[in-house]
Amino acid sequence: MGVQPKWLFGEEMKKTSSITLRLDLDLLRAVKIRAIMNDRSANGEISAILKDALKNEKAPEHGLGNRSDASRAE
């Protein structure tokens, strides 16, 4: 039967935003294989990789407001 989506059980879905990535085909293939091994979508795998990479980093004290490539959190 598989795992049911959280929204099926009335749990609120997290707000998300979109980003476009241009990945080398070999990198994309590796992400998709890793996603399958972890029972996730490619998007879910990329999110997990980023969360893991950033979990121990502290936010800069001065913030990101002055960076031209920084997105604003809503």
Side-chain angles (χ1 to χ4, degrees), residues 58-73:
K58 292 182 180 179
E61 292 180 26
H62 55 78
L64 297 175
N66 60 349
R67 300 226 5 223
S68 61
D69 62 341
S71 297
R72 295 177 190 235

Side-chain angles (χ1 to χ4, degrees), residues 4-5 9 11 15 17 23 28-29 32 34 38 53-54 57-58 65-66 69-72:
Q4 298 295 323
F9 299 105
E11 295 181 32
K15 290 184 180 182
S17 185
L23 301 175
L28 179 59
R29 187 175 300 115
K32 287 182 176 184
R34 184 172 164 168
N38 290 316
L54 298 173
E57 289 195 22
K58 292 182 180 179
N66 60 349
D69 62 341
S71 297
R72 295 177 190 235

Side-chain angles (χ1 to χ4, degrees), residues 31-56:
V31 168
K32 287 182 176 184
I33 290 169
R34 184 172 164 168
I36 290 168
M37 292 173 23
N38 290 316
D39 196 29
R40 293 192 266 247
S41 66
N43 183 77
E45 190 63 31
I46 292 169
S47 291
I49 291 167
L50 289 171
K51 285 177 188 175
D52 188 53
L54 298 173
K55 69 182 174 188
N56 293 321

